[in-house]
Amino acid sequence: MDKMMDEIYQLYAKDVYRYIFSLCRNHALAEDILQDTMLNAVISIDKFKGECTVKTYLCKIARNLYLNHAKRAEQKNIPLDETEPTDSGLCIEQLLADKNQVLSIHAVLHTLDEPYKEVFSLRVFADLKFNEIGKIFGKNENWARVTFFRSKERIIAQLKKEDNYE
C-alpha cells in the first residue's frame, strides 16, 4: 500500500500542486492542501471506484479541501490572495508560455466567479480533460467545454480592459 501511494504521489503531486496553487496562489497553503489531499486519498482509497482517473480523483479531493479552507478563511475575514496584476497581452496560450505574464493571468483569474475560475484552472494547470472536469462538477463534457471557453473569453476581455487594448 505504501509503495502504491508513493507511486501515486510521484505521478500526480506536481499536477495537483499546480492546480491547488492556481486556486490559492500561496505556496505554503498549496503544499499543506497537497499533503492533506494525499492523506485523504489514502484514508478514503476504498471510496475510489475507478469511475474517473486518479488525477481527477485527487483534484476533486484537493478542490474540496481548498473550498473548506476558503470558507473558514472567509469566516475569519482572511484574504486568500494578495498578488497584484502585472503586464498582460491578448492570447492566453502565449501568455501562459511567457512566465513574466503568468502572474497577470493569475490575478485576472482570481477575479472570475466560480465555476469559471476553477474550470480554467483544472484545464490549464492540472491538464485535465473536459470529461474529467465535468465529472468533478457533476456535469457533462460539453458543460466543461463551454465553461472553459467562457472563462477564457472573460480573462482575455479583462486583460484587454486593464491594458486599454481596443
Side-chain angles (χ1 to χ4, degrees), residues 49-63:
K49 306 269 191 257
E51 298 173 349
C52 61
T53 66
V54 174
K55 186 196 282 189
T56 301
Y57 181 67
L58 293 172
C59 284
K60 189 170 188 175
I61 293 171
R63 174 183 182 261

Side-chain angles (χ1 to χ4, degrees), residues 16-72:
V16 175
Y17 174 82
R18 281 194 304 257
Y19 169 63
I20 298 165
F21 182 75
S22 74
L23 294 174
C24 68
R25 304 182 67 209
N26 178 310
H27 291 288
L29 179 59
E31 280 290 337
D32 288 345
I33 292 175
L34 174 64
Q35 297 306 318
D36 290 345
T37 297
M38 294 302 177
L39 178 63
N40 284 355
V42 170
I43 291 170
S44 64
I45 193 70
D46 57 332
K47 293 180 183 176
F48 180 67
K49 306 269 191 257
E51 298 173 349
C52 61
T53 66
V54 174
K55 186 196 282 189
T56 301
Y57 181 67
L58 293 172
C59 284
K60 189 170 188 175
I61 293 171
R63 174 183 182 261
N64 290 336
L65 290 171
Y66 171 73
L67 291 175
N68 289 341
H69 171 79
K71 186 175 182 181
R72 285 191 307 271

Side-chain angles (χ1 to χ4, degrees), residues 11-165:
L11 287 171
Y12 302 108
K14 288 180 183 177
D15 291 335
V16 175
Y17 174 82
R18 281 194 304 257
Y19 169 63
I20 298 165
F21 182 75
S22 74
L23 294 174
C24 68
R25 304 182 67 209
N26 178 310
H27 291 288
L29 179 59
E31 280 290 337
D32 288 345
I33 292 175
L34 174 64
Q35 297 306 318
D36 290 345
T37 297
M38 294 302 177
L39 178 63
N40 284 355
V42 170
I43 291 170
S44 64
I45 193 70
D46 57 332
K47 293 180 183 176
F48 180 67
K49 306 269 191 257
E51 298 173 349
C52 61
T53 66
V54 174
K55 186 196 282 189
T56 301
Y57 181 67
L58 293 172
C59 284
K60 189 170 188 175
I61 293 171
R63 174 183 182 261
N64 290 336
L65 290 171
Y66 171 73
L67 291 175
N68 289 341
H69 171 79
K71 186 175 182 181
R72 285 191 307 271
E74 186 176 315
Q75 290 171 348
K76 294 179 182 179
N77 221 9
I78 300 170
L80 289 176
D81 64 312
E82 301 174 0
T83 309
E84 295 180 19
T86 60
D87 295 329
S88 60
L90 297 174
C91 179
I92 293 289
E93 290 79 11
Q94 289 173 345
L95 289 175
L96 286 171
D98 182 359
K99 290 184 179 186
N100 294 328
Q101 301 297 323
V102 172
L103 189 57
S104 294
I105 292 173
H106 276 287
V108 172
L109 178 62
H110 288 282
T111 66
L112 295 180
D113 294 328
E114 294 298 345
Y116 302 107
K117 174 171 70 171
E118 195 159 354
V119 168
F120 184 87
S121 296
L122 285 168
R123 179 69 179 160
V124 174
F125 302 112
D127 198 29
L128 293 183
K129 296 177 182 172
F130 289 115
N131 65 342
E132 294 172 326
I133 295 169
K135 285 180 184 177
I136 288 175
F137 285 91
K139 308 278 186 180
N140 62 32
E141 180 178 338
N142 192 47
W143 174 88
R145 287 181 185 280
V146 169
T147 305
F148 177 73
F149 177 77
R150 290 178 180 164
S151 64
K152 235 169 92 168
E153 284 183 325
R154 290 173 185 205
I155 291 170
I156 291 169
Q158 185 64 32
L159 290 171
K160 285 180 181 179
K161 181 180 175 184
E162 287 180 6
D163 286 341
N164 298 317
Y165 289 113

